[in-house]
Amino acid sequence: MVAGTHWLAAATGMSVLERGGNAFDAAVAAGFVLQVAEPHLNGPGGEVPILLWSEAEQRVSVVCGQGVAPSAATIERFAGLGLDVVPGTGLLAATVPGAFGGWMLMLERWGTWRLADVLAPAVHYAERGVPVLERISATIEQVRDLFVDDWPTSAATWLPGGRVPAPGTALANPVLAATYRRLVAVAQAASSTREGQIAAARDAFYQGFVAEAIAGFSAKTAWRDSSGEVHGGLLTGDDLAGWTASVEEPVTFDYHGHTVCKTGPWGQGPVFLQQLALLSGFDLTGMGHLSADYVHTVVESAKLAFADREAWYGDTDVPMADLLGEAYNAERRALVGPEASAELRPGSPGGRVPRLPDFPSPGSAGTAPGVSGARSSAGVGEPTVGRGAVEQVVSPDGSVRGDTCHVDVVDRHGNMVSATPSGGWLQSSPTIPELGFCLGTRGQMFWLQEGLPASLRPGARPRTTLSPSFALRDGRPWVAFGTPGGDQQDQWSLNLFLALVHGGGLNLQEAVDAPMFHSEHFPSSFFPRESRPGVMHIEDRVGAEVVAELRRRGHEVEVREPWSLGRLSAVARDGVFLKAAANPRGAQGYAAGR
């Protein structure tokens, strides 16, 4: 079974399984196709965290394909440029591209296919073209003036013939295809073995011709970014050569007979587990799925967990044992009252004193320190749920027009993968003309304030929102799942999981289809880091009575159109059956299997 956010990626993964590849081969092939099919949502310059179950090893592992800040990226360096927030576009926010290394590590350690075979579908689509989604066209339309006026290399790549590609037309990227063909050629010339070719391709990317092009572009060019000023980049060849993807243990929490696995707190993943730790003391089944009591309790618990994310998470020593401990959560659970809270309330795990960043004022999009205006902020942040002036491709009715990507795979052996590639989207920074892709801007998630867990430090990982999910049931692998959505990922994914556990027998597809909701109470992880205290979004399918009761309790409810929130997908092992589900929202998610 394969499920994901684009039909070409899911179909590619399924074709790999049908030709004898395993789940890891299929996920890698699908991941590279996503770079071509959804270039407004991810690219080779981005990153990928992966959760996987190896049937041979009988364990869950985390592959960290999240790159780090350059050695020259210091708070003092940004202060010298007159900045106290990291720009959301351009070269200054670039971290080491981690997606290629992450995919290669999984292919090398757990896969069976050769590099040329897993890259072949992506090369084919990049050369021949993919059908332009309405969302791709709308994204390029939004940043057309930026490309024409300031980023000519991007205009050359994404405005063929000087025009925004229309929905349904073919969009090719022959330069990217040539880059991947060259990687394969270098790899095959260096070694005759599968593992040797993967290692050679990785070297070519991080120490060879790809790294040289990235470092040269970063050092020798300067571009207007969301600060309104023109800046060069900080990435060097040494930064790329010094980074490697890694394999880590997941952070876990047991909930009603299920063990949920997430990345470490260098990402936001454990906030899912903190919500479970709080909710374990409530009778969600008794409240009734999607009742006002149920939604209120989940949202208020999310506010507390995400407040802890702001105070404690980062690529540093995070007190996760205390944050997930029963005594701590019993104390925090008592803060969930009958009315909606209006404050951001981090806790004190183990008696530690929380420290929050100096956030921009609520509603201050486009006016945060270092921001010169909304005109230059087209393309900033992660293209997900819109927030004021940095809203990404959002229609007049406020419906979501873009996210990131996700893919899930389970094979006949029982291996499972959940991966959330993102970053390096076409609107993040100027295209590198020799390579056909741009650098990511994940560095915008660092704080330019000293002494915080997520403060900018050379060699540190940004506190990413990318958050694949994996759950075991009674100790056996059960479901791999995830969604695009930035800060909403660990709310929408939680909604899916809770629907499976407390939804009264909902199947996998019904849980994906169920009305979604989320809170915007806490500060955004993306430039310019605004928050909307008390605001929550919910699809109108939940019913007018539920909305009215939530408002009576003090929630500032923004009712969204039906089928407008979330882009979840999932695969599952249920006894002798394999199952998959994909999101109908946006009419491009796809699940396949046999």
Side-chain angles (χ1 to χ4, degrees):
M1 294 283 182
V2 184
T5 52
H6 196 285
W7 70 88
L8 287 177
T12 294
M14 194 65 223
S15 75
V16 172
L17 297 177
E18 290 178 331
R19 288 180 286 156
N22 64 19
F24 313 113
D25 304 318
V28 173
F32 281 105
V33 167
L34 283 172
Q35 295 175 359
V36 180
E38 295 190 303
H40 58 314
L41 310 179
N42 80 137
E47 47 273 322
V48 60
I50 305 168
L51 285 168
L52 63 89
W53 169 270
S54 166
E55 189 68 13
E57 296 175 353
Q58 289 289 294
R59 63 184 300 172
V60 177
S61 296
V62 175
V63 173
C64 175
Q66 174 59 63
V68 299
S71 58
T74 64
I75 293 174
E76 293 76 18
R77 182 70 172 266
F78 280 81
L81 296 172
L83 298 171
D84 53 13
V85 292
V86 178
T89 62
L91 299 181
L92 280 177
T95 55
V96 173
F100 190 81
W103 290 124
M104 289 299 100
L105 176 57
M106 182 167 70
L107 181 66
E108 180 181 47
R109 178 163 170 176
W110 291 281
T112 64
W113 275 29
R114 288 178 176 260
L115 176 72
D117 297 324
V118 297
L119 282 179
V123 171
H124 169 84
Y125 287 124
E127 289 181 334
R128 299 284 297 274
V130 295
V132 174
L133 299 169
E134 181 182 351
R135 296 178 181 186
I136 294 178
S137 181
T139 299
I140 298 174
E141 175 65 42
Q142 186 187 18
V143 294
R144 174 176 54 182
D145 291 345
L146 174 69
F147 285 3
V148 171
D149 295 342
D150 297 312
W151 296 1
T153 60
S154 294
T157 303
W158 304 110
L159 295 171
R163 296 184 297 273
V164 174
T169 60
L171 180 63
N173 189 342
V175 179
L176 177 60
T179 296
Y180 281 143
R181 282 195 180 279
R182 186 176 174 186
L183 281 169
V184 171
V186 169
Q188 291 177 336
S191 177
S192 61
T193 68
R194 190 186 79 90
E195 292 77 10
Q197 290 176 1
I198 294 170
R202 187 166 48 226
D203 287 346
F205 194 99
Y206 291 100
Q207 301 179 48
F209 77 94
V210 175
E212 291 171 1
I214 291 173
F217 190 79
S218 184
K220 298 175 184 178
T221 65
W223 310 86
R224 192 171 308 280
D225 57 37
S226 57
S227 72
E229 302 299 327
V230 174
H231 296 114
L234 302 175
L235 269 179
T236 68
D238 288 342
D239 292 322
L240 278 89
W243 179 84
T244 58
S246 59
V247 178
E248 303 176 0
E249 294 292 322
V251 181
T252 65
F253 186 80
D254 293 334
Y255 182 85
H256 288 259
H258 307 84
T259 300
V260 180
C261 307
K262 301 293 288 188
T263 70
W266 49 265
Q268 75 172 15
V271 79
F272 186 119
L273 309 181
Q274 284 199 249
Q275 291 172 90
L276 290 182
L278 291 164
L279 293 169
S280 64
F282 296 101
D283 182 10
L284 292 184
T285 300
M287 293 177 187
H289 183 234
L290 295 179
S291 67
D293 278 347
Y294 179 103
V295 174
H296 169 80
T297 302
V298 172
V299 167
E300 290 302 297
S301 296
K303 292 178 182 179
L304 294 172
F306 276 86
D308 277 348
R309 182 195 73 166
E310 295 307 312
W312 300 109
Y313 287 22
D315 192 9
T316 185
D317 184 18
V318 179
M320 283 313 310
D322 289 325
L323 288 168
L324 294 175
E326 176 52 37
Y328 176 75
N329 282 281
E331 178 182 340
R332 298 282 282 162
R333 196 177 299 125
L335 298 175
V336 178
E339 305 296 324
S341 61
E343 299 176 356
L344 191 67
R345 299 178 291 179
S348 300
R352 302 169 182 86
V353 177
R355 181 187 169 194
L356 291 171
D358 297 328
F359 300 115
S361 300
S364 63
T367 59
V371 184
S372 64
R375 161 64 181 84
S376 64
S377 60
V380 305
E382 187 159 53
T384 178
V385 176
R387 288 174 176 260
V390 298
E391 195 159 334
Q392 294 292 322
V393 197
V394 179
S395 64
D397 65 5
S399 59
V400 179
R401 307 296 290 173
D403 303 271
T404 180
C405 303
H406 187 79
V407 63
D408 304 294
V409 186
V410 57
D411 66 22
R412 65 190 183 280
H413 308 295
N415 302 306
M416 299 178 76
V417 176
S418 173
T420 310
S422 186
W425 44 79
L426 64 87
Q427 65 273 32
S428 64
S429 66
T431 299
I432 303 171
E434 304 98 313
L435 301 177
F437 65 83
C438 62
L439 295 173
T441 54
R442 196 62 57 176
Q444 68 187 282
M445 308 177 91
F446 287 113
W447 288 102
L448 298 183
Q449 300 170 32
E450 297 285 0
L452 300 170
S455 295
L456 177 63
R457 291 181 290 108
R461 292 172 287 190
R463 193 205 67 201
T464 179
T465 55
L466 303 177
S467 193
S469 302
F470 195 93
L472 299 92
R473 183 166 59 188
D474 298 323
R476 294 294 300 159
W478 175 42
V479 60
F481 58 108
T483 180
D487 295 299
Q488 282 70 48
Q489 288 184 31
D490 282 302
Q491 298 185 74
W492 294 337
S493 292
L494 179 76
N495 289 347
L496 167 65
F497 177 79
L498 295 177
L500 293 172
V501 176
H502 300 292
L506 296 182
N507 65 36
L508 197 62
Q509 188 63 54
E510 290 169 333
V512 167
D513 292 349
M516 283 286 139
F517 60 90
H518 68 266
S519 171
E520 288 191 346
H521 179 79
F522 46 86
S524 169
S525 295
F526 297 94
F527 175 97
R529 317 302 291 265
E530 69 164 343
S531 61
R532 304 182 69 199
V535 173
M536 64 169 292
H537 293 241
I538 195 165
E539 292 183 357
D540 67 0
R541 293 183 294 133
V542 77
E545 291 184 0
V546 170
V547 171
E549 174 60 16
L550 290 169
R551 285 174 171 160
R552 188 195 67 78
R553 295 184 180 210
H555 295 279
E556 187 175 337
V557 182
E558 296 188 2
V559 179
R560 304 294 292 270
E561 289 192 343
W563 307 101
S564 62
L565 299 180
R567 287 180 65 204
L568 289 151
S569 64
V571 297
R573 295 173 61 178
D574 190 0
V576 298
F577 295 109
L578 303 181
K579 300 180 178 181
N583 181 45
R585 301 162 177 89
Q588 69 183 68
Y590 195 74
R594 73 177 181 90

